[in-house]
């Protein structure tokens, strides 16, 4: 037995050295958050897209790692002269994982489902300007808009706009069937999700034959698992204080990039006393952003003064409008009738930026007389209580959706900000296609929400990843919440 083992080991080593059939073609990537389910078209949880975006599900267009929007299931499109009709030509030979053909009727079904009156799509506003979706023929789809929308191709790249089949949509949350390069294999609740290479994929076959997403919520456990090499990578590593140890270890690589995650102290604008702009302004001046970045994120993060990513060309630095000034915060509270301060709630979801940042913010608010009761919640509770129920005072969350300033034009959105001026501005932005004009409007929108102190703007979330040295193709930046397996491989 021992001799056979030695012979087998020697043969394996030779095969690996030769780069032959023994070359590694699987990966285990850890995530801090487990998705509540696997339907990206009916929930706001970014953990869903982390697993399924571009891997299981695809849209007409898609985001690349550099933030660009490229063709997806649509190989090309034409836009009418007045900008209101988009005609998409679909790729030939695309099938769903169950073997059925993907055609124009599936596209029509998916977009009509997303924009329906009873739709549960978390980003339903992306589809509001669509008046009709027509299946012209099996390979052609025509989308008609009520007005020109310079963001349509961008909107269709979101995970909320992926194409699903009516035959499989009933079980989509637990058995997702898409057109992507990987098929769903197994979900062991509380532990892992496993995907396998789709041999019938319409595009280039990925290097990986299989991938496992492992869920590790505790930062200490995350560090231990990575150091023990039980996992190959940890996307959005939850313990930034440990990154120097990985940087000094040749077994690992540390990827530091940017995300679309505006991390904010979300404020319930309809709940007294936050319906008073003076109180919201006091909140803004009570917050020391840099102390939060240093204390919760160990220096990783870029201060923001509005809901917009600093890496975007249209970003405007408005941090000075809400500079840390506790004395001004106290004066504003007194002017609003709260000389003795007041009490509120602070709901904190699991990520480190929220739990650690929340402790620091609660202390900063207490210093000006605002007593915030910390309520730690899991994501399912946060979605139910805060996002859908709107029964909260304050909460901390990173909005990782790409360039999502448009949410401020949605009065029904969970922080319940209702400004006709902002709504009109966003409508004008949607109807504008010229890059310079769009930049000017985006900057005006940033100024308007900053001046209304809608939320407490903290920092842009950094993307902090750790991986084994030989793993390549991981996104350094995160233009959307995704771990795109299609480009990942092991160096030979």
């Amino acid at each position: 037995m021992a001799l056979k083992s030695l012979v087998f080991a020697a043969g394996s080593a030779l095969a690996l050295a030769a780069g032959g059939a023994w070359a590694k073609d699987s990966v285990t990537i850890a995530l801090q958050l487990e998705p509540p389910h696997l339907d990206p078209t009916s929930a706001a949880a970014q953990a869903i897209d982390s697993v399924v975006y571009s891997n299981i599900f695809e849209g007409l267009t898609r985001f690349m790692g550099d933030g660009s929007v490229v063709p997806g299931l649509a190989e090309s499109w034409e836009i009418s002269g007045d900008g209101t009709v988009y005609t998409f030509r679909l790729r030939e030979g695309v099938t769903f994982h169950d073997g059925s053909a993907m055609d124009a009727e599936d596209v029509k079904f998916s977009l009509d489902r997303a924009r329906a009156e009873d739709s549960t799509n978390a980003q339903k506003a992306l589809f509001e300007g669509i008046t009709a979706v027509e299946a012209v023929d099996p390979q052609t789809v025509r989308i008609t808009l009520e007005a020109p929308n310079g963001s349509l191709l961008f909107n269709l790249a979101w995970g909320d706009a992926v194409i699903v089949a009516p035959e499989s949509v009933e079980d989509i949350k637990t058995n997702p069937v898409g057109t992507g390069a990987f098929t769903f294999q197994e979900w062991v609740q509380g532990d892992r999700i496993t995907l396998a290479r789709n041999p019938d994929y319409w595009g280039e076959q990925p290097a990986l034959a299989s991938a496992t997403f492992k869920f590790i919520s505790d930062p200490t456990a995350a560090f231990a698992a990575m150091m023990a090499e039980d996992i190959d990578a940890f996307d959005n590593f939850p313990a930034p204080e440990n990154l120097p140890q990985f940087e000094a270890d040749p077994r690992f690589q540390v990827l530091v990039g940017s995300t679309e995650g505006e991390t904010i102290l979300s404020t319930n604008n309809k709940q007294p006393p936050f319906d008073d702009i003076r109180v919201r302004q006091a909140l803004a001046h009570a917050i020391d952003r840099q102390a939060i970045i240093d204390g919760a994120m160990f220096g990783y993060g870029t201060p923001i003064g509005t809901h917009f990513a600093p890496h975007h060309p249209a970003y405007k630095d408005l941090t000075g409008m809400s500079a840390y000034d506790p004395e001004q915060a106290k004066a504003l509270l007194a002017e609003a009738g709260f000389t003795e301060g007041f009490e509120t709630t602070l709901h904190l979801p699991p990520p480190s930026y929220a739990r650690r940042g929340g402790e620091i913010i609660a202390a900063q608010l207490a210093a000006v007389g605002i007593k915030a009761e910390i309520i730690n919640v899991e994501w399912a509770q946060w979605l139910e209580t805060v996002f859908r129920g709107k029964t909260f005072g304050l909460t901390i969350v990173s909005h990782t959706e790409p360039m999502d300033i448009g949410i401020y034009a949605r009065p029904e959105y969970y922080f319940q900000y209702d400004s006709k001026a902002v709504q009109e501005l966003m409508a004008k932005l949607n109807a504008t296609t010229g890059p310079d004009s769009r930049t000017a409007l985006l900057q005006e929108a940033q100024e308007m929400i900053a001046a209304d102190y809608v939320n407490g703007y903290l920092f842009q979330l950094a993307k902090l990843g750790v991986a084994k040295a030989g793993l390549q193709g991981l996104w350094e930046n995160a233009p959307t919440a995704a771990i795109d397996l299609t480009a990942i491989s092991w160096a030979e």
Side-chain angles (χ1 to χ4, degrees):
M1 290 292 291
L3 180 59
K4 289 182 179 179
S5 298
L6 286 170
V7 171
F8 177 79
S12 298
L14 286 170
L16 284 169
W22 297 97
K24 190 170 182 181
D25 61 359
S26 65
V27 70
T28 298
I29 299 176
L31 302 173
Q32 188 179 22
L33 302 176
E34 181 172 12
H37 56 75
L38 297 176
D39 178 11
T41 67
S42 66
Q46 73 167 41
I48 300 173
D49 274 352
S50 293
V51 173
V52 306
Y53 187 87
S54 83
N55 300 325
I56 294 177
F57 291 112
E58 300 173 299
L60 294 178
T61 59
R62 61 156 293 178
F63 293 112
M64 299 299 288
D66 61 0
S68 60
V69 175
V70 300
L73 293 177
E75 64 180 9
S76 63
W77 50 81
E78 295 179 356
I79 306 172
S80 64
D82 65 358
T84 62
V85 179
Y86 284 67
T87 303
F88 293 89
R89 181 68 184 173
L90 304 181
R91 296 185 188 275
E92 300 275 356
V94 178
T95 59
F96 287 101
H97 297 154
D98 61 6
S100 61
M102 192 287 298
D103 61 21
E105 290 292 346
D106 296 304
V107 175
K108 175 176 170 55
F109 168 79
S110 300
L111 297 182
D112 283 347
R113 173 175 174 261
R115 67 193 187 92
E117 188 174 340
D118 61 349
S119 170
T120 58
N121 194 296
Q123 302 298 335
K124 187 177 176 181
L126 294 173
F127 315 100
E128 282 181 352
I130 297 175
T131 59
V133 181
E134 303 168 74
V136 178
D137 60 49
Q139 299 306 124
T140 309
V141 176
R142 181 186 298 128
I143 297 177
T144 303
L145 308 176
E146 61 185 4
N149 185 348
S151 300
L152 182 67
L153 297 175
F154 180 89
N155 293 349
L156 293 176
W158 285 47
D160 308 80
V162 296
I163 305 307
V164 299
E167 297 84 1
S168 60
V169 76
E170 288 300 319
D171 299 321
I172 190 173
K173 291 186 176 182
T174 55
N175 184 31
V177 175
T179 59
F182 291 85
T183 62
F184 172 75
Q185 295 295 297
E186 181 187 34
W187 185 358
V188 179
Q189 296 277 346
D191 182 39
R192 66 187 184 275
I193 290 174
T194 305
L195 309 183
R197 181 195 289 147
N198 173 15
D200 300 317
Y201 184 54
W202 59 266
E204 183 179 345
Q205 282 287 307
L208 297 175
S210 65
T212 298
F213 291 97
K214 182 82 173 173
F215 308 119
I216 305 176
S217 60
D218 179 67
T220 302
F223 175 71
M226 198 73 237
M227 287 299 289
E229 299 186 71
D230 294 335
I231 54 179
D232 299 314
F234 204 120
D235 190 68
N236 290 317
F237 188 73
E241 65 273 23
N242 295 139
L243 292 182
Q245 290 172 262
F246 290 112
E247 288 176 325
D249 191 326
R251 295 179 299 160
F252 303 106
Q253 56 180 314
V254 175
L255 303 171
V256 179
S258 182
T259 76
E260 289 291 319
E262 291 83 20
T263 306
I264 64 177
L265 180 66
S266 294
T267 307
N268 193 335
N269 280 242
K270 275 194 174 180
Q271 183 185 92
F274 303 121
D275 55 349
D276 188 326
I277 189 174
R278 294 169 297 184
V279 174
R280 300 197 302 271
Q281 188 175 357
L283 279 176
H285 289 300
I287 297 168
D288 183 346
R289 296 184 186 90
Q290 196 59 51
I292 298 165
I293 294 170
D294 293 340
M297 302 304 297
F298 292 82
Y300 294 100
T302 304
I304 56 174
T306 187
H307 198 110
F308 213 76
H311 58 254
H312 194 284
Y315 175 72
K316 191 164 187 177
D317 186 357
L318 300 170
T319 51
M321 292 180 64
S322 52
Y324 178 53
D325 189 340
E327 292 307 313
Q328 186 176 358
K330 291 177 184 177
L332 285 162
L333 288 175
E335 183 183 330
F338 296 99
T339 305
E340 302 301 319
F342 62 89
E343 296 183 3
T344 188
T345 58
L346 178 58
H347 285 70
L348 301 178
S352 302
Y353 67 75
R355 295 281 170 88
R356 292 174 174 176
E359 297 284 348
I360 297 169
I361 287 177
Q364 293 176 353
L365 296 181
V368 300
I370 302 172
K371 182 179 179 181
E373 176 193 0
I374 290 178
I375 302 174
N376 290 328
V377 293
E378 296 305 309
W379 270 119
Q381 295 172 283
W382 187 91
L383 289 167
E384 184 63 31
T385 304
V386 178
F387 190 77
R388 286 190 288 268
K390 305 178 180 69
T391 53
F392 75 103
L394 301 170
T395 187
I396 300 175
V397 69
S398 280
H399 282 256
T400 55
E401 297 83 4
M403 204 174 71
D404 59 347
I405 195 170
I407 59 180
Y408 287 80
R410 295 159 56 182
E412 78 286 355
Y413 201 63
Y414 79 99
F415 46 69
Q416 301 190 91
Y417 171 62
D418 191 353
S419 166
K420 294 294 186 292
V422 171
Q423 291 158 27
E424 290 171 1
L425 182 65
M426 289 301 172
K428 186 177 180 181
L429 174 67
N430 285 338
T432 302
T433 56
D436 293 341
S437 298
R438 287 181 61 82
T439 293
L441 291 170
L442 285 168
Q443 291 184 339
E444 186 179 351
Q446 293 173 60
E447 292 169 347
M448 290 175 77
I449 64 172
D452 272 351
Y453 297 92
V454 183
N455 294 304
Y457 302 105
L458 306 177
F459 58 89
Q460 197 73 17
L461 191 68
K463 188 176 191 301
L464 308 175
V466 180
K468 289 181 181 177
L471 195 61
Q472 56 193 16
L474 292 162
W475 284 6
E476 183 173 301
N477 299 311
T480 192
I483 300 175
D484 183 2
L485 298 172
T486 62
I488 294 176
S489 63
W490 290 95
E492 295 183 2

